[in-house]
Every structure is written in C-alpha cells, then in structure tokens.
Amino acid sequence: MKMKLNRRQAIVRATQATVTCALGSTLAPVFGVPAEPVASGADGNRLSIGIATFGFPGLTNAELARELAGAGLHTVQLFLSQKDSAFWRYNSRADLAPLTADRCQAIAETYRAAGLRIHSLGVYTNLIHPEPAERQANLAYFRAMMEVGRHMGVRTFITEAGHYLDPKAPEPAVPLHFQDAVWPQCVATVRELARLSEPFNATVLLEPFYRGFLASAKRVRVFLEEVNSPRIRALLDPANLIEVNDLEEMFQQLGPWIDCIHAKDRKLHTDAGVAAGAGSLDYPKLVKLAARHTPHAPLILEYVGPNDYKAALAHLRRALQQAGVAEAG
C-alpha cells in the first residue's frame, strides 16, 4: 500500500515523473518526497540476500569472504569488526588512523575478489548525545568513516540515532530520547550529517528501534520528512519494530525511503533480537511486502555468526520460496 500524498507532494511527484521521462533517468528525491524505487526485475519479484559481518569477529576478512562466498552469498554489510580490522565500536567511535587508503582498498578487494559486493558500512555512532562536543566528535567520526568508504568504493552508511543514560545520575522520568529538546537537536544533527555526506556523494540510512529515538515507523517517517534531505533515508529492521508496528504498517509508512532491510528476528514481548527463524516475525509475509514495495533493497542477515548463519540463511531462502520470490545474484 502506498502512502497518500498531500496536494504539494502530489505536485512534486508529478513534476519528478515528467522530468524523469524527459531525461530518461530517475531523479534524486527533492522537497522531502522520495523518488519511487526502481524494481530489480521486470516484475519486482527478485530480492538479494546479504549478511552483516559483525557476528564474525574471530575471522579475518579473507577467511570471512571465503566462508560467505562458499555459502552462495553475494552481498555484505561491512562492519570493521574482523580479526584483522577490529575498529567498530557500537554507539561510540574508534581511532581510524590505521585505516590508510591502501588498507581500505585491500579490505574491499578481499571481498570483491571472492565475488561479494559491499552494500554499506556500519557506523552506529551516537547522534543524540547530550554533550555538544560529543555530538561534534561523533559527526567527525562519521565523516572519517565516509572517507574510509570513499577508499573502499562504498557510499552507503548505516546508523541508529544512538542512546544515552548518564551513569552518575538517576534514571530520568522521561528517557533522553523522548525529551522535548532532543527532537529538534537531532534534526539539526542529522541535517549536518547530510551536509557532511555531500562531498562523498554518500547516503546515510537510519535504523529504527522501538526503545530508542526512532521508536516507530511513523516516527521515522516524520523525522525523515523534517530532515528533508535525499542523503538521509531508512534501513528497516522489522524485528526492531514488531512490538509496535505490523509489517504492513512498516512498509506503508516507510516504503519510499527504505534502501535496506535487516533480516533478523525477535519474539514478541521480549527484548533480545535473535537470528532469522528464531522469533515471531512472519518471514514469508515480510518477503512478499519487500518484493512489492522495496525490491531494490537487499535483505541483510543480522545477529548471526559462524554457528548459526547457515540456518538463518536457509530460513530466509525458504521464505523466499514460499512467497514465490527469486533470489537475485
């Protein structure tokens, strides 16, 4: 189901379509109205599958590339978390100085030589930290990650809004991420992030989580509309929203913004995320909705490692088969 457009949005969408036909190419989103995604196949009935690398810290990049290629995968979402590139720090930042241009290129070539494309780089720094100096340092870290991406030939980066709890103070009555001042502050921060991404021709995908700042599909949509930048889009993680949104709602609210989907799972009314197939998510329905609304967005297995990724991959492939959707190479 597509979202209804107001009069202004409809005019902009019609203008985009007219100019697109005249130029023979798809325009970037403008005026806060995302362009419709282009299907990967004639009927949109193909989806690509990939895997996030942060669950494999005991393997080198070369070992991981061989392992994943052997499983028939073609796409990775690269977190700098492997044994020979352990730089990733969730909700924080790391010293990236050792990642020279040559080293970045060598890491990327390791995957490409094995037939794997790098869809995106995981950043996940804190964009809602209450200290202005920390937010600026995190933005500088994000820019440094974009420089890493430039050397690797990667232009898509993913992050959550971040979370913060002062360890020296009692827990506030209203969590920081829902306090009144944080919304406009985060809008300004992400607009600055969009500005920083311009020289890199980069796109940043924001991932929601029901216990954080981007707590529902609607809240993400409203936030993206207010940021109003084609550089800032969405990564849908259905398991992160299953407690507050039905699958149909997620795609209704976010469909035009989604460039990637995390394929993990979660049991209802529990906190911990789990591997695909170990929770309550209706994977055949998810696959059908993804093929209909976002066929260009890869399904990236997450929360898996050497011992369970094959079972999760088999579960996802069965869901594709049940939904009548082919796996793209």
Side-chain angles (χ1 to χ4, degrees):
M1 181 184 294
K2 293 182 180 179
M3 292 184 296
K4 294 181 179 179
L5 304 179
N6 60 35
R7 181 176 180 275
R8 172 179 169 274
Q9 290 173 322
I11 291 171
V12 172
R13 182 63 54 78
T15 302
Q16 287 180 330
T18 300
V19 178
T20 298
C21 290
L23 297 179
S25 60
T26 302
L27 293 180
V30 294
F31 303 122
V33 182
E36 291 288 351
V38 178
S40 58
D43 58 358
N45 218 29
R46 298 175 66 84
L47 292 172
S48 63
I49 294 176
I51 195 165
T53 69
F54 67 79
F56 301 84
L59 299 181
T60 66
N61 287 286
E63 291 167 341
L64 181 56
R66 286 194 298 270
E67 174 75 23
L68 300 181
L73 287 165
H74 301 281
T75 303
V76 295
Q77 188 166 82
L78 183 61
F79 291 77
L80 296 169
S81 56
Q82 277 42 79
K83 188 162 63 174
D84 53 345
S85 59
F87 294 94
W88 186 59
R89 304 290 183 272
Y90 177 70
N91 199 51
S92 185
R93 56 185 183 266
D95 178 11
L96 302 179
L99 282 172
T100 63
D102 287 346
R103 188 171 180 188
C104 291
Q105 291 163 10
I107 292 171
E109 180 56 28
T110 297
Y111 290 96
R112 294 185 179 119
L116 293 154
R117 76 181 184 104
I118 303 174
H119 171 270
S120 45
L121 287 177
V123 182
Y124 288 87
T125 193
N126 195 331
L127 302 176
I128 65 164
H129 198 287
E131 297 295 332
E134 281 294 304
R135 292 198 303 276
Q136 287 303 309
N138 290 340
L139 283 172
Y141 171 67
F142 216 121
R143 187 190 182 285
M145 283 295 294
M146 290 181 186
E147 192 67 51
V148 169
R150 189 207 298 272
H151 297 314
M152 290 185 171
V154 180
R155 298 189 305 187
T156 303
F157 303 84
I158 56 173
T159 187
E160 293 173 351
H163 57 86
Y164 178 82
L165 182 64
D166 187 344
K168 299 178 182 178
E171 187 172 349
V174 177
L176 174 72
H177 53 265
F178 283 149
Q179 291 178 16
D180 293 352
V182 174
W183 179 277
Q185 171 191 292
C186 195
V187 167
T189 300
V190 173
R191 283 177 176 168
E192 175 64 11
L193 182 56
R195 187 190 68 78
L196 292 173
S197 71
E198 286 286 346
F200 299 93
N201 194 22
T203 302
V204 176
L205 308 186
L206 299 180
E207 178 180 352
F209 177 53
Y210 77 106
R211 289 199 298 107
F213 177 78
L214 298 171
S216 70
K218 178 181 178 180
R219 188 169 166 92
V220 177
R221 174 180 63 79
V222 173
F223 183 78
L224 291 172
E225 288 176 339
E226 189 163 340
V227 170
N228 192 25
S229 169
R231 298 287 177 190
I232 309 298
R233 291 176 59 78
L235 180 152
L236 174 62
D237 189 324
N240 282 355
L241 297 180
I242 190 175
E243 195 69 27
V244 293
N245 293 125
D246 292 332
L247 284 168
E248 293 87 350
E249 292 177 299
M250 299 178 202
F251 284 93
Q252 180 184 10
Q253 293 285 345
L254 289 174
W257 281 273
I258 296 169
D259 281 348
C260 185
I261 298 173
H262 270 169
K264 70 167 186 279
D265 218 329
R266 187 184 307 273
K267 289 186 180 295
L268 283 168
H269 323 310
T270 63
D271 181 67
V274 292
S280 304
L281 203 62
D282 186 337
Y283 259 83
K285 179 182 284 189
L286 167 61
V287 166
K288 287 181 181 179
L289 289 167
R292 184 186 311 156
H293 294 279
T294 59
H296 63 294
L299 294 162
I300 301 292
L301 289 165
E302 194 192 25
Y303 281 33
V304 292
N307 297 326
D308 58 1
Y309 87 91
K310 288 184 178 178
L313 178 58
H315 177 76
L316 181 52
R317 284 175 167 160
R318 282 194 300 270
L320 264 69
Q321 186 175 25
Q322 292 170 29
V325 176
E327 181 179 349

